Amino acid sequence: MCTVCVWAKKGQPVFSARNMDWAMDMDTDLWVIPAGQHHRAGPESEANVLEWTSKYGSVAASAYGIGTADGLNEAGLAASALWLSESTYGPRDESLPLMVISFWCQYYLDNFATVAEAVADFETNPYQLQTAEITPGRSTTIHLQLSDATGDVAVLEVIDGAFTIHHGTEFTVLTNSPTYDQQLENLKKYKGFGGDLPLPGTTAPVDRFVRASYYVGALPTTESADKAAAEILSVVRNAAQPYGTVDPERPNVAPTIWTTIRDHTDLRYYFQASTSPYPVWLDFSKLDVSVGAPVKCLKLDGSEAQLGNQSDALVDTDLFDFSVG
């Protein structure tokens, strides 16, 4: 469930986009989170927990009001959480600082300007992830995609407690199962990637991965940010699951409930719910994300009033409480 793709070509703005595919409403709202926020990414009962004070302000899309699912920070770094059934986080290793998974996206949005910085930091400051019941009634198992204003990308996965990081500009697409190394191997079977198979058409994660990879590579270069947004949107729409379609026998396939577009160059974050014909966006040039600025929220209601730039519709509020277990 979910597709994310990155489009970076010399001479044009860097864009990325993602679909959130899920079988139910996630009560998603948009948050403007200024720098200077302190987070402790675990329960009070745990002694060794990762803590930080955010260096960068961000715009974040929340999941169930208890975690960040997607976002873009003021330096142009984006983070996206996508479901991965194979994710297993292992037994607690108390020698490593703990981070509950609800904080995973926000940790990177808060602390890093580039993917290279984020990857280098993990190599010197490793941590341990712990799942949480962000999704009502089930433990959350996800992998993470990071992308930045240079077009650099990293995919982070945790299997049996061990991290694997795929880092490089060639890793432009992420979907769901199987693990990323297997997705890359499967891609080689198709025309344009070394194989003979024609472009697949189903909504299965492996097929979405191939199709999105093909179309990202086929997009024409443009210097226009508006055209770039439209072009990357056309790719994720090609990988979307029609709204309202649920297949109980294929839990890795669910309707696309919302889509985001991230302009890493000009720092604009677009959001469109599948239940609304009206796209909204937040432009960092009109936001105050400096230390001491208030947290702001846009409650997404799908009304006609929520169309276009919503900077003036944001309301001062307290930040949601991240799940710690």
Side-chain angles (χ1 to χ4, degrees):
M1 297 157 283
C2 306
T3 302
V4 60
C5 49
V6 180
W7 185 33
K9 285 187 177 179
K10 186 176 181 180
Q12 69 170 47
V14 176
F15 271 79
S16 62
R18 71 86 51 86
N19 291 330
M20 174 60 80
D21 300 348
W22 202 240
M24 63 187 78
D25 183 14
M26 300 180 75
D27 300 323
T28 298
D29 294 313
L30 296 186
W31 297 80
V32 177
I33 306 174
Q37 304 295 306
H38 181 76
H39 294 296
R40 186 178 191 276
E44 293 297 328
S45 59
E46 182 73 39
N48 188 9
V49 173
L50 194 64
E51 296 189 50
W52 67 90
T53 298
S54 58
K55 299 176 184 177
Y56 300 99
S58 60
V59 171
S62 59
Y64 298 106
I66 54 176
T68 298
D70 191 80
L72 176 71
N73 75 14
E74 61 179 307
L77 181 83
S80 299
L82 290 80
W83 196 265
L84 181 67
S85 297
E86 290 86 348
S87 298
T88 48
Y89 305 108
R92 178 74 179 109
D93 179 354
E94 295 183 352
S95 69
L96 292 172
L98 176 71
M99 178 160 52
V100 174
I101 207 165
S102 58
F103 291 89
W104 206 13
C105 271
Q106 198 61 48
Y107 173 72
Y108 286 99
L109 295 173
D110 283 352
N111 289 299
F112 304 103
T114 67
V115 170
E117 285 180 13
V119 172
D121 181 81
F122 181 80
E123 293 173 351
T124 56
N125 300 293
Y127 54 84
Q128 183 179 29
L129 276 179
Q130 176 178 292
T131 189
E133 196 176 290
I134 299 175
T135 307
R138 65 188 302 184
S139 294
T140 298
T141 55
I142 59 177
H143 50 183
L144 191 72
Q145 190 259 24
L146 305 174
S147 53
D148 68 23
T150 72
D152 200 9
V153 180
V155 174
L156 287 69
E157 296 182 340
V158 186
I159 308 297
D160 295 330
F163 273 79
T164 299
I165 300 177
H166 298 267
H167 177 205
T169 56
E170 69 270 29
F171 302 122
T172 56
V173 171
L174 180 64
T175 58
N176 314 108
S177 297
T179 55
Y180 202 63
D181 57 342
Q182 295 179 62
Q183 290 277 26
L184 293 173
E185 191 63 29
N186 179 68
L187 185 64
K188 298 176 184 178
K189 300 176 184 178
Y190 292 87
K191 291 180 180 178
F193 303 100
D196 297 322
L197 293 178
L199 203 64
T202 82
T203 54
V206 289
D207 287 356
R208 286 186 278 112
F209 189 98
V210 174
R211 204 160 58 250
S213 297
Y214 174 83
Y215 284 118
V216 166
L219 290 176
T221 301
T222 177
E223 296 180 0
S224 165
D226 288 341
K227 287 184 178 179
E231 290 183 28
I232 196 68
L233 177 60
S234 71
V235 174
V236 292
R237 281 180 170 165
N238 187 278
Q241 173 78 346
Y243 188 76
T245 57
V246 178
D247 186 347
E249 295 185 1
R250 294 194 299 163
N252 275 339
V253 178
T256 298
I257 60 172
W258 48 258
T259 298
T260 63
I261 305 171
R262 293 82 61 92
D263 182 342
H264 298 261
T265 302
D266 294 325
L267 300 178
R268 181 178 285 184
Y269 187 83
Y270 301 81
F271 181 97
Q272 184 166 15
S274 297
T275 54
S276 172
Y278 308 112
V280 300
W281 60 82
L282 294 172
D283 190 326
F284 275 85
S285 68
K286 301 183 182 301
L287 304 176
D288 184 0
V289 293
S290 63
V291 174
V295 173
K296 292 179 178 287
C297 181
L298 178 67
K299 301 291 290 184
L300 295 167
D301 60 18
S303 69
E304 291 186 22
Q306 288 190 330
L307 170 65
N309 194 321
Q310 294 295 296
S311 301
D312 293 338
L314 293 162
V315 176
D316 293 6
T317 186
D318 293 329
L319 184 60
F320 59 84
D321 293 325
F322 287 81
S323 171
V324 292

